[in-house]
Every structure is written in structure tokens, then in C-alpha cells.
Amino acid sequence: MINFYFDDTIKVDRLDADGKKYDKVSRIEARSEKLNMQLLLDVNSELCPVRVGDNFRMVLADTLNEDGSAVTSLLPKGKEKSLVDKFEYVMHGLLYKISDDESGTNPEKVAYVSFGGLQLMLKGDATKMERFELHKKYFLCMRKV
């Protein structure tokens, strides 16, 4: 069984708020519905076209294998089932920074993941983010809903 560190529907609130920096990259500003987390996410806009108001299911997991086993190869072997079969857009990256944000009334944590230059900033209630580990690799999977 796959262990999801984040699994929620996100709604795109803003797109490229600071202007478009790269031709094939868009920066999404969104909020998750159930977990009420705020995020900034860079995506390849050719592979994952996005518009303001779009809804996506987004998960963060430490494996793509449905049985929960570790990923030993990014190339599928035979007919093994994986998360890749259920999502339209998949990235693999490293959580390189976790920090506390005590500027609000409730303590929050901010996690930063790099997907080969594309970035994710995920901010939310500290209790919902305590399972994230520094220097651990995660898969981000998205599909439109």
C-alpha cells in the first residue's frame, strides 16, 4: 500500500503572478481543499497546461509502486501497476528544506522540494506536515479533476 504524504485537490488561484520567467514553465499558486495548505508549484506548461480555476488531484509519495515497495527503476518492468498509470504529470524530487512559520496564530511548517529546478513550496499546519523528512526523495503526481 502506498503511503501518501499529501493527497488533496488543489485549485489554481493564480498563475505566473511575478510574470512568466521561462517559456515552458508556469508557477501555480494554489490552496488545497481538505488540508487547507498553501502551495507554489512550478510545472512544465507544455506537459501540464494549467489555467486559473483548474482543479487537480495532487499527491506526494515516496514510491510509485502500488504495493508500497521502493522504486528501484523509473522504467516499468512488465505489467506492474504504479501511480504513473493513474496520473497525467509526475515529477521526482528532493525535500531540501523544512522551516517553521510562526507568523500566524497557528504554528505552520513550510517544506521546499526541488524537482530538477522546478520547485514546490508547501505551507500548512505543522501537525499535518510532521511526516515530511529532510533530504528524502518524493514523487509528485497530478491529474486534472
Side-chain angles (χ1 to χ4, degrees):
M1 186 76 186
I2 297 176
N3 190 13
F4 292 132
Y5 291 79
F6 176 92
D7 183 3
D8 205 348
T9 300
I10 63 168
K11 181 176 182 179
V12 178
D13 296 325
R14 294 178 73 190
L15 197 60
D16 299 316
D18 295 335
K20 192 127 171 103
K21 306 273 192 240
Y22 301 100
D23 291 339
K24 299 178 184 180
V25 177
S26 289
R27 177 160 285 176
I28 296 170
E29 292 182 34
R31 180 163 292 281
S32 69
E33 289 183 356
K34 291 181 278 183
L35 299 173
N36 197 30
M37 291 191 179
Q38 175 185 347
L39 62 101
L40 293 175
L41 174 64
D42 297 335
V43 296
N44 181 318
S45 52
E46 284 187 336
L47 299 175
C48 184
V50 293
R51 294 186 317 245
V52 172
D54 284 350
N55 290 307
F56 291 89
R57 178 177 178 209
M58 186 177 103
V59 300
L60 286 168
D62 58 1
T63 185
L64 293 173
N65 297 327
E66 288 192 351
D67 64 1
S69 63
V71 173
T72 57
S73 171
L74 294 179
L75 299 174
K77 298 174 187 166
K79 298 197 183 264
E80 294 176 2
K81 296 280 186 187
S82 78
L83 281 180
V84 175
D85 302 322
K86 297 178 180 181
F87 289 88
E88 300 163 348
Y89 186 72
V90 178
M91 296 191 295
H92 184 235
L94 179 73
L95 193 149
Y96 66 91
K97 181 179 177 183
I98 299 176
S99 61
D100 294 320
D101 181 5
E102 298 177 12
S103 61
T105 56
N106 295 329
E108 294 185 314
K109 285 206 178 278
V110 184
Y112 299 90
V113 183
S114 176
F115 301 96
L118 300 178
Q119 301 290 313
L120 166 67
M121 185 275 308
L122 185 63
K123 178 180 176 181
D125 186 316
T127 59
K128 296 176 184 170
M129 297 187 59
E130 58 190 18
R131 294 181 47 228
F132 284 102
E133 296 177 40
L134 191 61
H135 305 301
K136 185 170 182 169
K137 294 186 178 184
Y138 294 94
F139 292 93
L140 179 141
C141 305
M142 286 178 37
R143 74 166 179 251
K144 272 192 178 177
V145 291

